[in-house]
């Protein structure tokens, strides 16, 4: 069974540009979560999608947005990139929404903003 | 909102020594999960605790959930170099909240 896949693995952008990150969940999983992990820091919750709808949003500015497609894959868009957006962006999936669901993480997309 | 605090932030131990990381929540949790992230890797699920006072073991790892379901701990006996990584706890408060809140993690270094 394929795990959670993320692309690209690495992305280098300059300030002011836009970045798009993609995530394919485990087959059968309907929930997708996005987390930001800046160097040496913990996991900061960004967005949660389930069945195509945004279910919750973390404390991030509106330039962080995303969507979930009918096949449950998801993309994260970051507009007007700032230097502090440089981080590892992790996507995770779970089967539906319940606090007991375990998250399976992808390998992440490392975004570098110059 | 719900906060999950984890201590210590860093721990350096000699190989063979024991290690413990503690997790405390500002609210009562319906369950708590533990994840491990190896250097350069991504978080991987270790275990979930649901019941008050629950204790679970995985080889040299012992996980506990407090009686009040507001704290948890992970204890590693006789650390090995393969234990190196960051250990995260993540809590779910229930009450209509379907989202895990992660602690900031404890980074474990093992000196051979």
């Amino acid at each position: 069974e394929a795990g959670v896949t993320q692309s690209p693995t690495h992305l280098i952008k300059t300030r002011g540009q836009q970045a798009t990150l993609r995530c394919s969940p485990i087959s059968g999983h309907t929930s997708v979560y996005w987390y930001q992990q800046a160097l040496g820091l913990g996991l900061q919750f960004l967005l949660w999608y389930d069945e195509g709808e945004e279910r919750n949003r973390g404390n991030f500015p509106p330039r962080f947005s995303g969507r979930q497609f009918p096949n449950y894959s998801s993309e994260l868009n970051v507009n007007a990139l700032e230097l502090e957006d440089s981080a590892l962006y992790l996507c995770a999936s779970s089967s539906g929404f319940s606090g007991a669901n375990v998250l399976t993480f992808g390998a992440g997309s490392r975004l570098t903003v110059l | 909102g719900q906060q999950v605090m984890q201590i210590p932030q860093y721990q350096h131990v000699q190989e063979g020594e024991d290690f413990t990381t503690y997790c405390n929540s500002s609210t009562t949790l319906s369950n708590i999960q533990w994840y491990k992230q190896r250097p350069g890797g991504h978080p991987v699920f270790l275990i979930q605790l649901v019941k008050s006072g629950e204790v679970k073991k995985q080889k040299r790892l012992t996980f506990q959930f407090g009686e009040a379901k507001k704290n948890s701990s992970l204890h590693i006996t006789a650390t090995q170099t393969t234990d190196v990584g960051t250990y995260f706890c993540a809590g779910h408060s229930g009450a209509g909240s379907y989202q895990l809140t992660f602690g900031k993690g404890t980074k474990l270094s093992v000196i051979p």
Side-chain angles (χ1 to χ4, degrees), chain B residues 34-78:
Chain B
W34 287 90
Y35 293 77
K36 176 183 179 181
Q37 184 175 23
R38 295 181 184 274
H42 56 277
V44 174
F45 172 76
L46 292 177
I47 207 160
Q48 178 172 260
L49 304 171
V50 179
K51 299 176 183 176
S52 169
E54 188 170 14
V55 178
K56 286 188 176 181
K57 293 190 176 184
Q58 289 180 347
K59 296 182 180 179
R60 295 177 295 103
L61 277 61
T62 302
F63 303 84
Q64 291 188 323
F65 201 8
E67 293 290 341
K69 300 183 76 174
K70 295 183 73 172
N71 59 344
S72 180
S73 65
L74 158 60
H75 179 83
I76 302 178
T77 303

Side-chain angles (χ1 to χ4, degrees), chain A residues 22-25 29 32 49 67-75:
Chain A
R22 296 178 176 83
C23 173
S24 292
H29 284 189
V32 170
Y49 293 95
R67 54 180 170 165
Q68 186 178 34
F69 300 99
N71 66 353
Y72 303 117
S73 67
S74 176
E75 68 178 28

Side-chain angles (χ1 to χ4, degrees), chain B residues 13-14 36 43 52-53 55 100 107 110:
Chain B
V13 300
Q14 203 77 34
K36 176 183 179 181
S52 169
V55 178
L100 285 175
K107 186 174 182 178
V110 178

Side-chain angles (χ1 to χ4, degrees), chain A residues 37 56 99-101 103 106, chain B residues 31 33 35 37 42 48 98-99:
Chain A
Q37 187 174 36
N56 204 354
N101 282 341
L103 300 186
Chain B
N31 66 69
Q33 299 177 6
Y35 293 77
Q37 184 175 23
H42 56 277
Q48 178 172 260
Y98 301 104
Q99 177 189 310

Side-chain angles (χ1 to χ4, degrees), chain A residues 20-87:
Chain A
T20 298
L21 309 177
R22 296 178 176 83
C23 173
S24 292
I26 288 175
S27 178
H29 284 189
T30 61
S31 273
V32 170
Y33 307 79
W34 287 95
Y35 287 86
Q36 182 196 64
Q37 187 174 36
L39 191 61
L41 298 181
L43 299 167
Q44 303 297 315
F45 169 71
L46 270 165
L47 290 160
W48 168 29
Y49 293 95
D50 183 79
E51 296 284 359
E53 293 189 17
E54 182 180 301
R55 298 293 183 177
N56 204 354
R57 181 183 181 83
N59 190 25
F60 280 83
R63 57 191 186 82
F64 286 83
S65 65
R67 54 180 170 165
Q68 186 178 34
F69 300 99
N71 66 353
Y72 303 117
S73 67
S74 176
E75 68 178 28
L76 173 69
N77 294 294
V78 188
N79 293 319
L81 284 166
E82 300 179 2
L83 296 177
E84 53 263 34
D85 296 333
S86 294

